[in-house]
Amino acid sequence: TVRGRTGVHPEHNMSSIHDVDWMMRFRDTNAPGLPVYLTEWGWDSDGGGESCGPPPEREGDAPFPECVSEAAQALYAVRGALVLARKGLARLTWYFYGN
């Protein structure tokens, strides 16, 4: 893709959701039992009044490849939460800057 990233489902082996694995291993080795919270995670979507296109000052640029449809965003949220809960995270906070 243009920026080297693309939005993929949470179970995909290239999903950044799996980046928490190293954190959980670190916790298990150095602070067993310490709760781990994940904040600001999710998928951008082209909806809700927001666009996955570039800002007006970069109108000629390609759309952001990380964006998924609103339907995929909703499905990925539930599936992602289940994947992360199974990894042992104590709390998850869904976050979006604009959409």
Side-chain angles (χ1 to χ4, degrees):
T1 63
V2 174
R3 298 173 77 192
R5 295 175 45 163
T6 188
V8 296
H9 59 84
E11 301 87 358
H12 192 282
N13 64 343
M14 295 301 290
S15 173
S16 61
I17 209 166
H18 302 297
D19 291 347
V20 302
D21 292 346
W22 70 266
M23 185 180 351
M24 299 307 286
R25 284 192 300 272
F26 179 88
R27 187 276 315 259
D28 292 345
T29 300
N30 297 290
L34 184 72
V36 176
Y37 302 157
L38 180 63
T39 62
E40 300 187 23
W41 69 282
W43 288 261
D44 288 331
S45 118
D46 197 9
E50 294 291 327
S51 170
C52 284
E57 65 272 9
R58 294 185 12 227
E59 190 173 321
D61 290 359
F64 299 121
E66 296 91 346
C67 283
V68 299
S69 70
E70 284 185 285
Q73 181 188 48
L75 291 170
Y76 292 177
V78 174
R79 289 165 46 190
L82 292 171
V83 167
L84 291 165
R86 187 162 186 206
K87 291 178 181 290
L89 278 81
R91 184 174 298 161
L92 307 171
T93 303
W94 181 271
Y95 174 83
F96 281 105
Y97 170 71
N99 55 358

